[in-house]
């Protein structure tokens, strides 16, 4: 495959650099007689301000810009680090753990007034699904198939963050993940590269707004670059075996989309990528990210990841780790004291060049200038910045649209009608804390509407509702089962709330078995003996193995960890006030033994053989699954031409009719399949989707404009996109049409 030079060649780069330098010299000359240094003049081009400032900085000041420490009380037990006793005024960045801007402003004042050049500090934090108004976890957000709503939620997170002193979030996480034993599947957007791309872009746009210097924008951070979701056997921080082909066709696309959307920063990953750790991988960091994609922001390491290079068997000591990391393109050291303790010596020994250091500093200064921190270094406290009415509405809408109706059998118990006595049973019924999910920033359990509270608010005036805990999350309680059984005997219907604690997923939360705890399964089985209709409400941070309890329930609602509005939205789905519209962004295996199992797998040579001999080879609930209270009928697909040249475009359309009695959102998903290609491809690939509300009896038309290279093409193991002539299939729901490409 002839490699098309995508990146800027040496001569082009040289011309570019000389042009920038000429421009900078020109502006510098204008500034010679100005009262203040050029870098402080916001009317000047950012690149000129950077060059002016670089020319004034000492080596020590440059090295401090490449370091990130912490400020405030670190409540993340996974991130242990050497306590920083005295934070220098010249520090580049701080992870800020406080909820209000007071301490941040104090530290910023020290940077602006006590340092020689007054370079503002960049304050970052893990705002993953909300700052104080906590939204559903990211995996749930992906199940909404509503990027506009996710963008809205990220904009609120940005507003609350920036008003609280945080200028930069370590989000979105866009790691394609296919192993639910890995706890961090909760933090990303599921198993599909396209879906991670779409939601990654929506998040970047929500966080960064139209202008990074806007006082309500924050810098986004694409993480964890790259391939972290392939962690072997779902264990965290471990090795990932990723071929160059799979790196390009599965794990890199969301990052390319995020970079093209203007993401300001990237965080490198903990994992070893087939023998070269991501924190010091010159191919991914320099060749791909900075050269091929022309990324001009900066890369921050993950927590203490540079010194972990030694543990990974890649370097002899921290000094060598520092050398390999910065030479590979890692610009900022998160809480590792690798760069501040080793870079000067490495420079003196000629193992790191001044150019490499300067390039990293430029990138960090560029983000600070673009954020407007030199002009607005301080945060003015706004008292009513949290939980605003509009923010809570967004939370309620996103929670509702992310919940997935997995099962509603022929008894159609949902939405609840004709049941007067409702028993609410289970350890997740009254909890508020667990509904916040992992990485819940400054979320406060008191802000959360529990399922119990939501159900009482929705049904309390018309129904009799009683509660029994039944069991604890993973242990029994005295008389728990018997009390719950008595309540079930009393009730007309049982709503059972089961699931995971919020720290059972997220970082450092791998589970070898994704079934619910035995006591919860036992509770389900015991109560099913009552013979009453049963509805299961799940709150969890990963797909679960439900094979042993699915038969006990007439209906199952996947509520995920829905954030502050969880109970309100769940109750609306139970009553029918809300017609569920969520669709799975990640496959639910039948059981742990099927993992990994995902929809866009490559083809088998014997698709009629090779199945498990002991269990089904089909998942319990596939990618894209999700029921509604109404039904939709799809027409056949129409296409403007069934044969086109590779250079032409073509439009496929399908009509969808709501043949039910109530309005409902339908997500129309367009997949492409290529029966054969010079590089084997997945059985089908998601390439477009639209979610639209359709009224009863109404028919809506959905279209997909197909650009052969973008939508039918594939990528080789060097990242070059190509499209081959031949037959392709376009699939929507159970409809399929052939499209032939000619030269
Ligand atoms: C953690 C996580 C990363 C997070 C960072 C800062 O170890 O891997 O996602 O942003 O440290 O908390």
């Amino acid at each position: 495959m002839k490699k098309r030079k995508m990146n800027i060649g040496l001569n082009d780069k040289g011309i570019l650099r000389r042009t920038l330098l000429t421009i900078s010299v020109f502006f510098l000359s204008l500034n010679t007689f100005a009262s203040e240094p050029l870098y402080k003049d916001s009317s000047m081009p950012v690149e000129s301000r950077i060059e002016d400032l670089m020319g004034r900085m000492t080596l020590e000041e440059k090295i401090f810009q490449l370091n990130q420490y912490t400020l405030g009380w670190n409540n993340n037990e996974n991130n242990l680090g050497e306590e920083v006793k005295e934070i220098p005024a010249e520090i580049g960045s701080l992870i800020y753990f406080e909820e209000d801007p007071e301490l941040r402003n104090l530290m910023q004042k020290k940077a602006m007034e006590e340092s020689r050049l007054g370079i503002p500090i960049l304050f970052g934090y893990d705002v993953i699904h909300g700052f104080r108004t906590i939204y559903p976890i990211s995996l749930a957000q992906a199940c909404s198939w509503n990027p506009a709503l996710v963008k809205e939620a990220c904009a609120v997170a940005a507003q609350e963050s920036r008003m609280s002193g945080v200028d930069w979030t370590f989000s979105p996480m866009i790691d394609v993940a296919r192993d639910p034993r890995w706890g961090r599947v909760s933090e990303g957007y599921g198993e599909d590269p396209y879906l991670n791309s779409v939601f990654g872009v929506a998040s970047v746009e929500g966080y960064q707004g139209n202008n990074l210097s806007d006082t309500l924008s924050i810098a986004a951070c694409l993480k964890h670059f790259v391939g972290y979701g392939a962690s072997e056997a779902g264990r965290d921080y471990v090795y990932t075996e990723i071929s160059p082909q799979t790196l390009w066709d599965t794990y890199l696309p969301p990052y390319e989309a995020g970079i093209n959307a203007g993401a300001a920063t990237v965080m490198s990953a903990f994992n070893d990528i087939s023998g070269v750790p991501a924190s010091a991988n010159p191919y991914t960091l320099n060749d791909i990210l900075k050269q091929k994609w022309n990324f001009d922001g900066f890369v921050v390491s993950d927590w203490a990841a540079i010194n972990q290079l030694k543990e990974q068997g890649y370097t002899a000591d921290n000094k060598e780790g520092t050398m390999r990391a910065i030479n590979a393109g890692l610009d900022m050291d998160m809480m590792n004291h690798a760069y501040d303790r080793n870079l000067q010596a490495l420079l003196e020994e000629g193992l790191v060049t001044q150019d490499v250091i300067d390039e990293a500093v430029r990138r960090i200064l560029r983000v600070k200038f673009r954020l407007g921190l030199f002009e607005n270094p301080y945060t003015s406290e706004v008292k009513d910045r949290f939980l605003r009415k509009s923010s809570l509405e967004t939370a309620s809408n996103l929670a509702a649209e992310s919940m997935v109706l997995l099962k509603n059998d022929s008894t159609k118990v949902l939405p609840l009608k004709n049941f007067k006595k409702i028993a609410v049973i289970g350890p997740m019924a009254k909890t508020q804390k667990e509904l916040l999910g992992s990485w819940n920033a400054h979320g406060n359990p008191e802000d959360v509407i529990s399922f119990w509270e939501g159900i009482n608010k929705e049904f309390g005036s018309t129904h009799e509702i009683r509660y029994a805990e039944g069991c604890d999350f993973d242990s029994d309680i005295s008389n728990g089962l018997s009390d719950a059984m008595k309540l079930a005997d009393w009730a007309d219907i049982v709503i059972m709330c089961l699931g995971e604690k919020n720290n059972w997923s997220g970082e450092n939360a791998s589970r070898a078995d994704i079934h619910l705890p035995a006591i919860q399964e036992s509770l389900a089985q015991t109560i099913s003996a009552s013979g009453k209709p049963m509805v299961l409400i799940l709150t969890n941070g990963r797909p679960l193995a439900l094979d042993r309890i699915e038969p006990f329930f007439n209906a199952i609602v996947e509520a995920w960890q829905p954030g502050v509005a969880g109970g309100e939205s769940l109750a609306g789905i139970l009553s029918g006030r809300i017609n569920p519209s969520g669709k799975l962004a990640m496959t639910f295996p039948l059981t742990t033994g099927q993992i990994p199992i995902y929809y866009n797998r490559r083809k088998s040579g014997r698709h009629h053989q090779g199945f498990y001999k002991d269990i089904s080879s089909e998942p319990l609930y596939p990618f894209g699954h999700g029921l509604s209270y109404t039904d939709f009928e799809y027409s056949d697909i129409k296409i403007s031409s069934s044969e086109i040249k590779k250079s032409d475009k073509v439009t496929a359309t399908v009509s969808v009719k709501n043949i039910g009695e109530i309005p409902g959102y339908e997500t129309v998903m367009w997949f492409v399949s290529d029966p054969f290609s010079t590089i084997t491809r997945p059985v089908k690939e998601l390439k477009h989707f639209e979610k639209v509300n359709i009224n009863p009896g109404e028919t809506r038309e959905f279209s997909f404009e197909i650009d052969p290279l973008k939508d039918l093409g594939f990528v080789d193991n060097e990242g070059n996109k190509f499209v081959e002539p031949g037959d392709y299939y376009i699939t929507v729901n159970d409809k399929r049409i052939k499209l032939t490409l000619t030269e």
Side-chain angles (χ1 to χ4, degrees), residues 269-341:
F270 282 130
N271 53 293
D272 176 329
I273 309 173
S274 302
V276 183
S279 308
N281 192 311
Y283 176 59
T284 53
L285 294 173
N286 265 335
D287 300 355
I288 297 175
L289 187 63
K290 296 182 176 181
Q291 296 304 318
K292 190 175 182 72
W293 293 346
N294 297 318
F295 173 60
D296 68 359
F298 71 83
V299 181
V300 63
S301 76
D302 203 334
W303 184 283
I306 294 170
N307 289 351
Q308 287 168 22
L309 292 168
K310 180 168 171 284
E311 305 299 316
Q312 288 172 297
Y314 192 61
T315 60
D317 52 34
N318 296 342
K319 185 175 174 185
E320 186 189 352
T322 302
M323 177 192 73
R324 290 195 181 284
I326 196 155
N327 284 334
L330 183 66
D331 303 305
M332 183 183 280
D333 163 5
M334 177 188 285
M335 262 313 280
N336 214 177
H337 294 296
Y339 283 12
D340 55 1
R341 289 181 180 158

Side-chain angles (χ1 to χ4, degrees), residues 8-19 291 294:
I8 298 171
L10 190 61
N11 54 349
D12 300 353
K13 197 156 71 167
I15 292 168
L16 184 65
R17 180 173 294 223
R18 276 198 295 277
T19 308
Q291 296 304 318
N294 297 318

